[in-house]
Amino acid sequence: MSDTKPEARIQVIDRATLLLDVISRYSKPVKLKVLSADAGLHPSTAHRILHSLIDNRFVERSSAGEYRLGQRLLQLSNRLHTDIDLRAVAMPYMEKLRDKLGETINLTIREGDVVIYFEKATPNRMMHVQQIVGSRAPLHVTGVGKLMLGISGEQEIAGYAQRTNLPAYTRNTFNSLEALTEECLTSAQRGYALDNEEAEIGVGCIGVLIYDQSNQPVAGLSLSAPIDRRRDEWIGELVQAGNAISEQLGYGKSSG
């Protein structure tokens, strides 16, 4: 009874694993014809499996029709050590920002279609924005979430909109695909995003991304403040801290 027959293996999982292995051998995105040949699969079979892997964010497809490993797979592979390193590396910068700017600083990670508040540094005064560690927020109502969507491109934004229907949390929430796409892509291009009372009236946020040694975004750093206190000059402070944390996590060292 303990012997596992070869027939008991799940063929589609074996094939998906094979395709991931093939993609990982290439330093650049790969065309379907090359992938199917290397994996010994019919192109239609490879295409069907790749489509499912894309839906689950294990694989990404470029506008040129080439495939590469997806953000989710890279995040999972680094999660075990990154979570430990991330908190240890980020907290000194978060505390420094909190003390200098007097506002709540958040560390968030993506999980599917939401961001999770992973750690925070709150000012020592009565009136401040309170984010609960472990709480979740949809990507489209947070600065960090919009950046994560933006760097993934229009196809990922459209998929997110289709899955979630973009529920409105306030009158300022981006709840149309066209407006959200423009906001996400613009934010990704400039390197920071704003939440202008999109999740909660009276609260504004500034968000930036944190990258690790795989040169992929593994987290977000954000500042939450009453909207009437938020200052544009804080953007540079947050960007600088995000860059410093990314550098300590090895960002840029594996490229070239």
Side-chain angles (χ1 to χ4, degrees), residues 9-17 48-49:
R9 297 172 67 93
I10 301 174
Q11 187 181 58
V12 70
I13 294 179
D14 289 342
R15 288 175 168 178
T17 303
R48 186 175 66 252
I49 296 171

Side-chain angles (χ1 to χ4, degrees), residues 94-119:
M94 294 170 65
E95 291 169 348
K96 184 177 179 180
L97 281 173
R98 174 202 62 195
D99 295 343
K100 184 174 184 179
L101 307 179
E103 302 295 346
T104 301
I105 309 299
N106 311 296
L107 187 65
T108 54
I109 57 175
R110 179 175 180 174
E111 190 70 57
D113 289 336
V114 301
V115 293
I116 301 175
Y117 288 88
F118 184 64
E119 188 57 273

Side-chain angles (χ1 to χ4, degrees), residues 115-181:
V115 293
I116 301 175
Y117 288 88
F118 184 64
E119 188 57 273
K120 65 179 180 178
T122 54
N124 186 24
R125 55 180 170 77
M126 290 292 291
M127 297 298 292
H128 64 266
V129 175
Q130 183 68 265
Q131 303 289 9
I132 301 171
V133 171
S135 64
R136 298 165 179 248
L139 297 176
H140 70 293
V141 302
T142 69
V144 167
K146 287 186 293 184
L147 284 171
M148 290 180 170
L149 287 172
I151 64 167
S152 298
E154 292 188 37
Q155 188 175 354
E156 170 65 15
I157 300 169
Y160 171 83
Q162 186 175 30
R163 292 191 301 271
T164 64
N165 291 320
L166 303 180
Y169 282 68
T170 75
R171 61 180 179 269
N172 295 334
T173 301
F174 287 91
N175 58 359
S176 78
L177 175 58
E178 184 179 0
L180 179 65
T181 299

Side-chain angles (χ1 to χ4, degrees), residues 49-109:
I49 296 171
L50 287 166
H51 184 75
S52 181
L53 290 169
I54 289 169
D55 287 344
N56 288 282
R57 295 175 47 241
F58 289 116
V59 169
E60 294 174 357
R61 185 176 183 269
S62 71
S63 57
E66 296 173 327
Y67 299 87
R68 61 177 178 266
L69 293 180
Q71 196 177 123
R72 184 178 185 184
L73 185 66
L74 294 169
Q75 287 174 337
L76 289 172
S77 67
N78 290 312
R79 179 65 57 83
L80 182 62
H81 65 83
T82 299
D83 280 359
I84 299 169
D85 294 345
L86 183 58
R87 184 183 273 113
V89 170
M91 274 307 292
Y93 292 95
M94 294 170 65
E95 291 169 348
K96 184 177 179 180
L97 281 173
R98 174 202 62 195
D99 295 343
K100 184 174 184 179
L101 307 179
E103 302 295 346
T104 301
I105 309 299
N106 311 296
L107 187 65
T108 54
I109 57 175

